[in-house]
Amino acid sequence: MEAVIDAAEQFEVLHPGDVVEFRKRVLREQDLLAVAHDLIRKMSPRTGHSKPSFFQDCLMEIFNDLESHIQNPTVLESIVSLMDKGTKVLTTNYDNLLELYGQKIGRPMESLDLNDKVKVLQWVQSYINYGVLHIHGLYTDPCGVILDPCGYNDVAQDCTLMDELQNLYARKSFVFLGCGETLRDQVFQVLSLYTVQNTVSVEHYMLVRKENADTFYKLQADLLLKGIKLMSYGDSFTTFPLYIKGLSALICKERTENIAHVEIEKLLEPVSNIQTAAQKRKLDENTGTGKPSKSKA
């Protein structure tokens, strides 16, 4: 948000008074999606809605030269290795950093969004192996960026597409990375993934940092109601890349060599002491049989 405002100020597409006001709103308001929507409207007064031109200029500015910002590609490399083994990747990120990295190492990466129904259906049905589905849209197409539930109207009313997405959630185990607050916002929930939680035969997981015990266990209880088990990768962001690298390597290996349960325990034990034996056993069952695939959202 601050980067967009800075770019808008630089391009002189916002009145100085508006710049000051939006900076204040970013600091004091909790619903940043509403602030973002108002900002886009302000930058595109002639359209009367979020179909911007100045907004696109600002997005291109703040997302310029993304690859130069990669300092440690471990997480990106790990996710691409999972895609090599058939994992589907969804993201709420507006950038295409993962695709850029994948292309750099020779993978035919493709960015997808919910506006292209044909492509999404091909991706769900595994005809597109290196597609990354941006469920909130992509910065290269500002008109497709979704900032409120209304942006999902066309998708929610498409029974075929909704059925395919819900069936995917019911058949495949999802691993959510860095999505703690995303699961609470209305934009994500329009996809109605929670509506199938009582009918699924697989389990879903979320990896988070356990910085504060009270916050962690509260989130753990909240997510259990949604059919998602919370797991910690440690108490510091610095442990995340190696955790993902080890987990992805094990998943990739077991899909060709049928890794035993004890090896999964060795991987999870150092970084996830809060996980119960039953959770570990279930995770082993989900990855060891090869039935559900791991996916990011």
Side-chain angles (χ1 to χ4, degrees), residues 61-73 76 97:
E61 174 70 15
I62 66 175
F63 284 113
N64 183 44
D65 196 21
L66 280 174
E67 290 179 277
S68 66
H69 298 287
I70 301 178
Q71 297 179 354
N72 184 350
L76 298 175
L97 189 59

Side-chain angles (χ1 to χ4, degrees), residues 20 116 140 143 181:
V20 172
D116 192 338
T140 53
C143 295
E181 295 301 319

